[in-house]
Amino acid sequence: MTSKDRILSRIRRALPEAPRCAAEGARLGDIPRDYLHVHGDRTPAESTDLLAAHLSEYRAKVHRTDGAGLPELLARLLAARGARTVLVPPALPAHWLAAADAVLVPDRAESTPYELDAVDSVVTGCALAVAETGTIVLDGGPDQGRRRITLIPDHHVCVVRVPDQLVDSVPQALARLDPTRPLTWISGPSATSDIELDRVEGVHGPRTLEVVLLGAE
């Protein structure tokens, strides 16, 4: 028996008694989902603090504001970055960038990767955020735009409405997300490490991620 045979044999023994060949129309038995759906009880404020802590650990920059302070905060973040052009999804609330001193570039299907790479920053909303993992989830909604506009520019500012768009755990997130949509899960800025653990940022997406936690007014 080869190593492959032994591995497959162990997998078969671990599976519930059910037909094994999906290609022939067979269906596996119900998968047990008796795992914890959340780890501990938290208030909305505690969940927000946990999200902020995990985002910071991943080297994202976290800011907090309310609706009245959001335009000025976004303008300040873009100015600090020196952003002269900002990518804007089609349904981003217009007042969010009303105070920004930058050229707003609409998300267009015909934009080339070279054109997107020339843009200084992108500002989006999100689908939701996960406190326990410090993860932002985008689903290509109208306030987020196409996936590529959050992967090519070097600076991404993402606004999360808390607590409405905040969940504690990944199982809770999956229950709220539409699996047919193009989901992008972001935990901090793009980063990778080689075998010597030398960290390089900006290889697979934005080098800088700034998350704005937008609370109720």
Short mmCIF file of all heavy atoms in Angstrom, two decimals, residues 47-105:
data_model
loop_
_atom_site.label_atom_id
_atom_site.label_comp_id
_atom_site.label_asym_id
_atom_site.label_seq_id
_atom_site.Cartn_x
_atom_site.Cartn_y
_atom_site.Cartn_z
N SER A 47 -17.14 44.16 20.99
CA SER A 47 -16.85 43.58 19.67
C SER A 47 -16.10 44.57 18.80
O SER A 47 -15.17 44.21 18.08
CB SER A 47 -18.15 43.14 18.99
OG SER A 47 -18.77 42.09 19.71
N THR A 48 -16.50 45.83 18.86
CA THR A 48 -15.82 46.88 18.09
C THR A 48 -14.37 47.02 18.55
O THR A 48 -13.46 47.14 17.73
CB THR A 48 -16.56 48.21 18.22
OG1 THR A 48 -17.91 48.05 17.76
CG2 THR A 48 -15.89 49.30 17.40
N ASP A 49 -14.16 47.00 19.86
CA ASP A 49 -12.79 47.10 20.39
C ASP A 49 -11.95 45.90 19.95
O ASP A 49 -10.76 46.06 19.64
CB ASP A 49 -12.82 47.18 21.91
CG ASP A 49 -13.35 48.50 22.43
OD1 ASP A 49 -13.39 49.48 21.64
OD2 ASP A 49 -13.75 48.57 23.61
N LEU A 50 -12.54 44.71 19.94
CA LEU A 50 -11.81 43.51 19.53
C LEU A 50 -11.42 43.60 18.06
O LEU A 50 -10.29 43.26 17.67
CB LEU A 50 -12.66 42.27 19.78
CG LEU A 50 -12.00 40.92 19.47
CD1 LEU A 50 -10.76 40.71 20.32
CD2 LEU A 50 -13.00 39.78 19.67
N LEU A 51 -12.35 44.05 17.22
CA LEU A 51 -12.04 44.23 15.80
C LEU A 51 -10.89 45.21 15.63
O LEU A 51 -9.94 44.95 14.88
CB LEU A 51 -13.28 44.74 15.06
CG LEU A 51 -13.05 45.13 13.59
CD1 LEU A 51 -12.69 43.92 12.75
CD2 LEU A 51 -14.30 45.83 13.04
N ALA A 52 -10.96 46.33 16.32
CA ALA A 52 -9.91 47.35 16.21
C ALA A 52 -8.56 46.80 16.65
O ALA A 52 -7.53 47.06 16.01
CB ALA A 52 -10.28 48.57 17.04
N ALA A 53 -8.55 46.02 17.72
CA ALA A 53 -7.30 45.46 18.23
C ALA A 53 -6.67 44.50 17.22
O ALA A 53 -5.47 44.54 16.96
CB ALA A 53 -7.54 44.75 19.56
N HIS A 54 -7.49 43.63 16.62
CA HIS A 54 -6.97 42.66 15.66
C HIS A 54 -6.52 43.35 14.38
O HIS A 54 -5.49 42.98 13.79
CB HIS A 54 -8.02 41.60 15.37
CG HIS A 54 -8.16 40.60 16.47
ND1 HIS A 54 -9.27 39.80 16.63
CD2 HIS A 54 -7.31 40.26 17.48
CE1 HIS A 54 -9.10 39.02 17.68
NE2 HIS A 54 -7.91 39.28 18.20
N LEU A 55 -7.26 44.34 13.92
CA LEU A 55 -6.84 45.07 12.73
C LEU A 55 -5.49 45.74 12.96
O LEU A 55 -4.61 45.73 12.08
CB LEU A 55 -7.89 46.13 12.36
CG LEU A 55 -9.17 45.62 11.72
CD1 LEU A 55 -10.22 46.73 11.69
CD2 LEU A 55 -8.92 45.11 10.31
N SER A 56 -5.31 46.31 14.14
CA SER A 56 -4.04 46.96 14.46
C SER A 56 -2.90 45.94 14.50
O SER A 56 -1.78 46.24 14.07
CB SER A 56 -4.14 47.70 15.80
OG SER A 56 -5.09 48.74 15.73
N GLU A 57 -3.17 44.74 15.02
CA GLU A 57 -2.15 43.70 15.05
C GLU A 57 -1.69 43.33 13.64
O GLU A 57 -0.52 42.97 13.43
CB GLU A 57 -2.69 42.46 15.76
CG GLU A 57 -2.83 42.62 17.27
CD GLU A 57 -3.46 41.41 17.92
OE1 GLU A 57 -3.72 40.41 17.20
OE2 GLU A 57 -3.70 41.45 19.14
N TYR A 58 -2.62 43.42 12.69
CA TYR A 58 -2.28 43.11 11.29
C TYR A 58 -1.66 44.31 10.56
O TYR A 58 -1.49 44.27 9.35
CB TYR A 58 -3.53 42.66 10.54
CG TYR A 58 -4.13 41.37 11.04
CD1 TYR A 58 -5.51 41.20 11.10
CD2 TYR A 58 -3.33 40.32 11.45
CE1 TYR A 58 -6.07 40.03 11.54
CE2 TYR A 58 -3.88 39.14 11.90
CZ TYR A 58 -5.26 39.00 11.95
OH TYR A 58 -5.81 37.82 12.40
N ARG A 59 -1.39 45.39 11.31
CA ARG A 59 -0.78 46.59 10.76
C ARG A 59 -1.72 47.43 9.90
O ARG A 59 -1.27 48.21 9.05
CB ARG A 59 0.50 46.26 9.98
CG ARG A 59 1.55 45.54 10.81
CD ARG A 59 2.88 45.48 10.08
NE ARG A 59 3.83 44.66 10.81
CZ ARG A 59 5.08 44.45 10.42
NH1 ARG A 59 5.52 45.01 9.30
NH2 ARG A 59 5.88 43.69 11.11
N ALA A 60 -3.00 47.24 10.07
CA ALA A 60 -3.95 48.19 9.48
C ALA A 60 -4.04 49.41 10.41
O ALA A 60 -3.79 49.31 11.61
CB ALA A 60 -5.32 47.55 9.32
N LYS A 61 -4.37 50.55 9.83
CA LYS A 61 -4.54 51.77 10.62
C LYS A 61 -6.03 51.95 10.90
O LYS A 61 -6.84 51.97 9.98
CB LYS A 61 -3.98 52.97 9.87
CG LYS A 61 -2.50 52.85 9.55
CD LYS A 61 -1.99 54.04 8.74
CE LYS A 61 -0.51 53.89 8.41
NZ LYS A 61 0.00 55.03 7.61
N VAL A 62 -6.38 52.06 12.17
CA VAL A 62 -7.79 52.10 12.57
C VAL A 62 -8.16 53.49 13.07
O VAL A 62 -7.42 54.10 13.86
CB VAL A 62 -8.06 51.06 13.68
CG1 VAL A 62 -9.54 51.07 14.07
CG2 VAL A 62 -7.64 49.66 13.21
N HIS A 63 -9.31 53.97 12.59
CA HIS A 63 -9.82 55.29 12.99
C HIS A 63 -11.29 55.13 13.39
O HIS A 63 -11.98 54.24 12.91
CB HIS A 63 -9.71 56.29 11.85
CG HIS A 63 -8.36 56.29 11.19
ND1 HIS A 63 -7.30 57.05 11.64
CD2 HIS A 63 -7.90 55.60 10.09
CE1 HIS A 63 -6.25 56.84 10.86
NE2 HIS A 63 -6.59 55.98 9.92
N ARG A 64 -11.75 56.00 14.25
CA ARG A 64 -13.15 55.97 14.67
C ARG A 64 -13.76 57.36 14.52
O ARG A 64 -13.12 58.38 14.81
CB ARG A 64 -13.27 55.52 16.13
CG ARG A 64 -12.63 54.16 16.41
CD ARG A 64 -13.07 53.64 17.76
NE ARG A 64 -12.27 52.51 18.21
CZ ARG A 64 -12.69 51.57 19.02
NH1 ARG A 64 -13.93 51.60 19.48
NH2 ARG A 64 -11.91 50.60 19.41
N THR A 65 -15.00 57.36 14.08
CA THR A 65 -15.71 58.63 13.94
C THR A 65 -17.20 58.35 13.85
O THR A 65 -17.64 57.19 13.83
CB THR A 65 -15.23 59.39 12.68
OG1 THR A 65 -15.78 60.71 12.68
CG2 THR A 65 -15.65 58.68 11.40
N ASP A 66 -17.98 59.43 13.78
CA ASP A 66 -19.42 59.29 13.54
C ASP A 66 -19.73 59.90 12.18
O ASP A 66 -18.84 60.35 11.45
CB ASP A 66 -20.24 59.96 14.65
CG ASP A 66 -19.90 61.44 14.82
OD1 ASP A 66 -19.28 62.03 13.90
OD2 ASP A 66 -20.26 62.01 15.86
N GLY A 67 -21.00 59.90 11.82
CA GLY A 67 -21.37 60.38 10.50
C GLY A 67 -20.99 61.82 10.25
O GLY A 67 -20.55 62.18 9.15
N ALA A 68 -21.11 62.65 11.26
CA ALA A 68 -20.79 64.07 11.09
C ALA A 68 -19.30 64.29 10.86
O ALA A 68 -18.89 65.19 10.14
CB ALA A 68 -21.26 64.86 12.31
N GLY A 69 -18.48 63.44 11.47
CA GLY A 69 -17.03 63.63 11.37
C GLY A 69 -16.38 62.87 10.22
O GLY A 69 -15.19 63.06 9.95
N LEU A 70 -17.16 62.02 9.53
CA LEU A 70 -16.57 61.18 8.50
C LEU A 70 -15.97 61.96 7.33
O LEU A 70 -14.83 61.68 6.93
CB LEU A 70 -17.60 60.17 8.00
CG LEU A 70 -17.10 59.21 6.92
CD1 LEU A 70 -15.94 58.36 7.44
CD2 LEU A 70 -18.23 58.32 6.41
N PRO A 71 -16.67 62.93 6.73
CA PRO A 71 -16.07 63.64 5.59
C PRO A 71 -14.73 64.29 5.92
O PRO A 71 -13.78 64.20 5.14
CB PRO A 71 -17.14 64.68 5.22
CG PRO A 71 -18.42 64.09 5.71
CD PRO A 71 -18.06 63.38 6.97
N GLU A 72 -14.64 64.93 7.09
CA GLU A 72 -13.40 65.59 7.46
C GLU A 72 -12.29 64.57 7.71
O GLU A 72 -11.13 64.78 7.34
CB GLU A 72 -13.63 66.45 8.71
CG GLU A 72 -12.39 67.19 9.18
CD GLU A 72 -11.81 68.13 8.13
OE1 GLU A 72 -12.60 68.71 7.37
OE2 GLU A 72 -10.57 68.27 8.08
N LEU A 73 -12.65 63.44 8.34
CA LEU A 73 -11.65 62.40 8.59
C LEU A 73 -11.11 61.82 7.29
O LEU A 73 -9.89 61.68 7.11
CB LEU A 73 -12.25 61.27 9.44
CG LEU A 73 -11.35 60.05 9.65
CD1 LEU A 73 -10.05 60.42 10.35
CD2 LEU A 73 -12.10 58.97 10.43
N LEU A 74 -11.99 61.49 6.35
CA LEU A 74 -11.54 60.95 5.07
C LEU A 74 -10.66 61.96 4.33
O LEU A 74 -9.64 61.59 3.74
CB LEU A 74 -12.74 60.55 4.21
CG LEU A 74 -13.55 59.35 4.70
CD1 LEU A 74 -14.75 59.11 3.79
CD2 LEU A 74 -12.68 58.09 4.79
N ALA A 75 -11.06 63.23 4.37
CA ALA A 75 -10.25 64.27 3.71
C ALA A 75 -8.86 64.32 4.34
O ALA A 75 -7.85 64.47 3.63
CB ALA A 75 -10.95 65.62 3.82
N ARG A 76 -8.79 64.20 5.66
CA ARG A 76 -7.51 64.26 6.35
C ARG A 76 -6.63 63.04 6.02
O ARG A 76 -5.42 63.18 5.80
CB ARG A 76 -7.74 64.35 7.86
CG ARG A 76 -6.48 64.62 8.66
CD ARG A 76 -6.81 65.03 10.07
NE ARG A 76 -7.40 63.94 10.86
CZ ARG A 76 -8.66 63.92 11.24
NH1 ARG A 76 -9.48 64.91 10.93
NH2 ARG A 76 -9.12 62.91 11.96
N LEU A 77 -7.23 61.87 5.97
CA LEU A 77 -6.47 60.66 5.65
C LEU A 77 -5.91 60.71 4.23
O LEU A 77 -4.76 60.34 3.98
CB LEU A 77 -7.35 59.42 5.81
CG LEU A 77 -7.89 59.14 7.22
CD1 LEU A 77 -8.72 57.85 7.22
CD2 LEU A 77 -6.76 59.05 8.22
N LEU A 78 -6.71 61.19 3.29
CA LEU A 78 -6.27 61.28 1.90
C LEU A 78 -5.20 62.35 1.74
O LEU A 78 -4.23 62.16 1.00
CB LEU A 78 -7.46 61.56 0.99
CG LEU A 78 -8.50 60.44 0.92
CD1 LEU A 78 -9.75 60.91 0.17
CD2 LEU A 78 -7.92 59.20 0.25
N ALA A 79 -5.35 63.47 2.45
CA ALA A 79 -4.35 64.53 2.37
C ALA A 79 -3.02 64.07 2.96
O ALA A 79 -1.95 64.37 2.42
CB ALA A 79 -4.85 65.77 3.10
N ALA A 80 -3.09 63.33 4.07
CA ALA A 80 -1.87 62.82 4.69
C ALA A 80 -1.14 61.86 3.77
O ALA A 80 0.09 61.76 3.80
CB ALA A 80 -2.20 62.15 6.01
N ARG A 81 -1.90 61.17 2.96
CA ARG A 81 -1.32 60.24 1.99
C ARG A 81 -0.79 60.97 0.76
O ARG A 81 -0.03 60.40 -0.03
CB ARG A 81 -2.40 59.23 1.57
CG ARG A 81 -1.97 58.19 0.58
CD ARG A 81 -1.10 57.13 1.21
NE ARG A 81 -0.67 56.16 0.19
CZ ARG A 81 0.01 55.05 0.46
NH1 ARG A 81 0.33 54.78 1.70
NH2 ARG A 81 0.36 54.24 -0.51
N GLY A 82 -1.21 62.22 0.59
CA GLY A 82 -0.85 62.96 -0.62
C GLY A 82 -1.63 62.52 -1.83
O GLY A 82 -1.18 62.66 -2.97
N ALA A 83 -2.84 61.99 -1.59
CA ALA A 83 -3.66 61.45 -2.68
C ALA A 83 -4.24 62.58 -3.53
O ALA A 83 -4.97 63.43 -3.03
CB ALA A 83 -4.78 60.58 -2.12
N ARG A 84 -3.92 62.56 -4.80
CA ARG A 84 -4.48 63.53 -5.74
C ARG A 84 -5.65 62.94 -6.52
O ARG A 84 -6.47 63.68 -7.06
CB ARG A 84 -3.40 64.01 -6.70
CG ARG A 84 -2.29 64.81 -6.03
CD ARG A 84 -1.12 65.03 -6.95
NE ARG A 84 -0.48 63.76 -7.31
CZ ARG A 84 0.56 63.63 -8.13
NH1 ARG A 84 1.07 64.71 -8.70
NH2 ARG A 84 1.08 62.45 -8.39
N THR A 85 -5.71 61.61 -6.61
CA THR A 85 -6.81 60.93 -7.29
C THR A 85 -7.32 59.82 -6.39
O THR A 85 -6.54 59.14 -5.71
CB THR A 85 -6.35 60.33 -8.63
OG1 THR A 85 -5.19 59.50 -8.41
CG2 THR A 85 -6.01 61.42 -9.63
N VAL A 86 -8.65 59.63 -6.37
CA VAL A 86 -9.28 58.65 -5.50
C VAL A 86 -10.31 57.85 -6.30
O VAL A 86 -11.22 58.44 -6.90
CB VAL A 86 -9.97 59.31 -4.29
CG1 VAL A 86 -10.58 58.25 -3.38
CG2 VAL A 86 -8.98 60.17 -3.52
N LEU A 87 -10.17 56.52 -6.30
CA LEU A 87 -11.16 55.66 -6.94
C LEU A 87 -12.43 55.62 -6.10
O LEU A 87 -12.37 55.51 -4.87
CB LEU A 87 -10.62 54.24 -7.09
CG LEU A 87 -9.99 53.87 -8.43
CD1 LEU A 87 -9.31 52.51 -8.34
CD2 LEU A 87 -11.03 53.85 -9.53
N VAL A 88 -13.58 55.70 -6.76
CA VAL A 88 -14.85 55.77 -6.06
C VAL A 88 -15.83 54.74 -6.63
O VAL A 88 -16.13 54.78 -7.83
CB VAL A 88 -15.46 57.19 -6.17
CG1 VAL A 88 -16.77 57.25 -5.42
CG2 VAL A 88 -14.49 58.23 -5.64
N PRO A 89 -16.35 53.82 -5.81
CA PRO A 89 -17.38 52.90 -6.28
C PRO A 89 -18.64 53.66 -6.67
O PRO A 89 -18.85 54.81 -6.24
CB PRO A 89 -17.63 52.00 -5.06
CG PRO A 89 -16.42 52.17 -4.21
CD PRO A 89 -15.95 53.57 -4.43
N PRO A 90 -19.53 53.04 -7.47
CA PRO A 90 -20.68 53.77 -8.02
C PRO A 90 -21.66 54.30 -6.98
O PRO A 90 -22.27 55.34 -7.20
CB PRO A 90 -21.34 52.75 -8.94
CG PRO A 90 -20.83 51.42 -8.49
CD PRO A 90 -19.45 51.67 -7.99
N ALA A 91 -21.83 53.60 -5.86
CA ALA A 91 -22.84 54.02 -4.89
C ALA A 91 -22.22 54.45 -3.56
O ALA A 91 -22.90 54.41 -2.52
CB ALA A 91 -23.86 52.91 -4.65
N LEU A 92 -20.96 54.86 -3.58
CA LEU A 92 -20.38 55.41 -2.36
C LEU A 92 -21.14 56.70 -2.02
O LEU A 92 -21.33 57.55 -2.90
CB LEU A 92 -18.90 55.72 -2.56
CG LEU A 92 -18.11 55.98 -1.28
CD1 LEU A 92 -17.77 54.66 -0.59
CD2 LEU A 92 -16.83 56.76 -1.57
N PRO A 93 -21.61 56.86 -0.78
CA PRO A 93 -22.35 58.09 -0.44
C PRO A 93 -21.55 59.34 -0.82
O PRO A 93 -20.38 59.47 -0.43
CB PRO A 93 -22.53 57.96 1.08
CG PRO A 93 -22.56 56.48 1.32
CD PRO A 93 -21.56 55.91 0.35
N ALA A 94 -22.15 60.24 -1.55
CA ALA A 94 -21.44 61.39 -2.09
C ALA A 94 -20.86 62.27 -0.99
O ALA A 94 -19.77 62.83 -1.15
CB ALA A 94 -22.39 62.21 -2.96
N HIS A 95 -21.54 62.38 0.15
CA HIS A 95 -21.05 63.29 1.19
C HIS A 95 -19.80 62.77 1.88
O HIS A 95 -19.09 63.52 2.55
CB HIS A 95 -22.15 63.55 2.23
CG HIS A 95 -22.47 62.37 3.09
ND1 HIS A 95 -23.32 61.36 2.70
CD2 HIS A 95 -22.04 62.05 4.35
CE1 HIS A 95 -23.42 60.46 3.67
NE2 HIS A 95 -22.65 60.85 4.67
N TRP A 96 -19.48 61.47 1.74
CA TRP A 96 -18.29 60.93 2.39
C TRP A 96 -17.03 61.66 1.93
O TRP A 96 -16.13 61.92 2.72
CB TRP A 96 -18.15 59.44 2.09
CG TRP A 96 -19.05 58.55 2.88
CD1 TRP A 96 -20.11 58.92 3.64
CD2 TRP A 96 -18.95 57.13 3.00
NE1 TRP A 96 -20.70 57.83 4.21
CE2 TRP A 96 -20.01 56.72 3.84
CE3 TRP A 96 -18.11 56.17 2.46
CZ2 TRP A 96 -20.22 55.36 4.17
CZ3 TRP A 96 -18.30 54.83 2.78
CH2 TRP A 96 -19.35 54.44 3.62
N LEU A 97 -16.96 61.99 0.64
CA LEU A 97 -15.76 62.61 0.09
C LEU A 97 -15.98 64.08 -0.26
O LEU A 97 -15.22 64.66 -1.02
CB LEU A 97 -15.29 61.84 -1.14
CG LEU A 97 -14.80 60.41 -0.87
CD1 LEU A 97 -14.48 59.68 -2.15
CD2 LEU A 97 -13.59 60.42 0.06
N ALA A 98 -17.01 64.68 0.32
CA ALA A 98 -17.34 66.06 -0.01
C ALA A 98 -16.24 67.03 0.39
O ALA A 98 -16.07 68.09 -0.23
CB ALA A 98 -18.66 66.46 0.67
N ALA A 99 -15.47 66.69 1.42
CA ALA A 99 -14.42 67.59 1.89
C ALA A 99 -13.05 67.26 1.31
O ALA A 99 -12.08 67.97 1.58
CB ALA A 99 -14.34 67.55 3.42
N ALA A 100 -12.96 66.20 0.51
CA ALA A 100 -11.66 65.76 0.00
C ALA A 100 -11.18 66.65 -1.14
O ALA A 100 -11.96 67.00 -2.04
CB ALA A 100 -11.75 64.32 -0.48
N ASP A 101 -9.92 67.02 -1.10
CA ASP A 101 -9.32 67.83 -2.15
C ASP A 101 -8.58 66.90 -3.11
O ASP A 101 -7.35 66.84 -3.12
CB ASP A 101 -8.36 68.86 -1.55
CG ASP A 101 -7.79 69.79 -2.61
OD1 ASP A 101 -8.37 69.88 -3.71
OD2 ASP A 101 -6.75 70.43 -2.33
N ALA A 102 -9.34 66.14 -3.88
CA ALA A 102 -8.76 65.16 -4.81
C ALA A 102 -9.72 64.94 -5.96
O ALA A 102 -10.94 65.17 -5.84
CB ALA A 102 -8.48 63.84 -4.09
N VAL A 103 -9.19 64.47 -7.07
CA VAL A 103 -10.02 64.14 -8.23
C VAL A 103 -10.65 62.77 -8.00
O VAL A 103 -9.95 61.79 -7.72
CB VAL A 103 -9.18 64.13 -9.51
CG1 VAL A 103 -10.03 63.69 -10.70
CG2 VAL A 103 -8.57 65.50 -9.76
N LEU A 104 -11.97 62.69 -8.10
CA LEU A 104 -12.67 61.43 -7.89
C LEU A 104 -12.74 60.65 -9.21
O LEU A 104 -13.24 61.17 -10.21
CB LEU A 104 -14.08 61.69 -7.34
CG LEU A 104 -14.14 62.54 -6.06
CD1 LEU A 104 -15.57 62.61 -5.56
CD2 LEU A 104 -13.20 62.01 -5.00
N VAL A 105 -12.24 59.44 -9.18
CA VAL A 105 -12.18 58.60 -10.38
C VAL A 105 -13.23 57.50 -10.25
O VAL A 105 -13.16 56.67 -9.34
CB VAL A 105 -10.78 57.96 -10.55
CG1 VAL A 105 -10.74 57.09 -11.79
CG2 VAL A 105 -9.71 59.04 -10.59
#
